[in-house]
Amino acid sequence: MKPYERKQLLERVEREGATVGADIPDRIEVQGEEIDLREFVFEIKRRETIPSGERDRVEQAKKNLRRERVQRIELLEEGDISREEGEELARSVIGIDRALNALQSLGPTDLEREQQAKQAADRKRWMSFLKKALGHEDDASRRRA
C-alpha cells in the first residue's frame, strides 16, 4: 500500500462522523475469538436494563473491542498490507467503533439500584427538614455539647 493510501484510510477511520451510516459487522474476530457482534449489540440494546450478571460480560466485551481496535489501527498504520486489506481493516475499525458507540450509549445499568438511592436521599432530606422544622436538631446539638 502506498503511504498516501494509508494516510487516507487512517483519516477516514478517525473522522468524527465515520460511524454515521456504518453497519456493525455480523461476525468479527476479537482477541482471537469469533463473535457475533451485531447480534450481541442488538441483544444488549433490546433490554431496558443490563442484568447484573450481564454487566461484566458487556464491560469485558467493550474492553476487548477497544483492544482489537487499537491493534487494527496499528496494523493499518504500520503493517505490510495491500490496499484491499487496508480497506477491509478500515471498514472493520469503523464497525467496531459503531458497536462501541452503541454499547456506550446504554442507559444506567441498574435502574432499581439508582431508584433506591434516590429514594434514600429523599428520605434523608425529608427527615433533616422535619428535624429542623420541629426544632429537634437544636436539641441534639445541645446534648452533644
Side-chain angles (χ1 to χ4, degrees):
M1 178 175 0
K2 294 180 174 77
Y4 75 90
E5 292 173 325
R6 190 179 304 271
K7 184 178 178 188
Q8 286 176 335
L9 290 174
L10 288 167
E11 285 174 0
R12 183 171 59 174
V13 166
E14 297 299 332
R15 194 175 315 138
E16 188 155 331
T19 61
V20 174
D23 291 326
I24 296 172
D26 289 328
R27 293 183 62 78
I28 191 168
E29 187 174 318
V30 177
Q31 303 297 297
E33 181 182 336
E34 192 79 22
I35 61 169
D36 295 324
L37 187 58
R38 181 179 294 173
E39 182 181 321
F40 174 74
V41 170
F42 286 118
E43 169 194 330
I44 296 300
K45 287 203 56 99
R46 261 193 296 272
R47 301 176 183 172
E48 289 182 27
T49 62
I50 301 172
S52 57
E54 290 287 304
R55 206 171 303 127
D56 292 337
R57 182 175 162 221
V58 171
E59 290 304 313
Q60 187 61 47
K62 289 193 292 190
K63 283 181 190 175
N64 288 343
L65 285 170
R66 285 187 205 103
R67 225 178 272 133
E68 187 66 31
R69 182 189 190 282
V70 168
Q71 289 175 353
R72 290 177 187 220
I73 292 286
E74 287 173 357
L75 184 58
L76 196 55
E77 288 173 338
E78 302 163 7
D80 184 20
I81 56 176
S82 69
R83 170 75 181 181
E84 293 77 30
E85 291 169 324
E87 287 282 345
E88 181 55 39
L89 268 175
R91 271 193 300 278
S92 70
V93 168
I94 291 170
I96 289 171
D97 286 345
R98 179 84 166 87
L100 282 168
N101 288 343
L103 293 172
Q104 294 287 25
S105 69
L106 294 173
T109 54
D110 194 345
L111 293 178
E112 269 185 47
R113 189 177 305 148
E114 189 175 301
Q115 183 63 30
Q116 288 173 350
K118 284 182 181 179
Q119 288 174 344
D122 287 345
R123 277 194 301 275
K124 190 174 181 178
R125 281 192 298 275
W126 181 244
M127 291 304 292
S128 176
F129 170 76
L130 286 176
K131 284 180 181 179
K132 284 181 183 176
L134 297 173
H136 293 294
E137 193 171 281
D138 293 336
D139 292 340
S141 57
R142 274 189 228 132
R143 276 184 257 146
R144 282 188 222 132

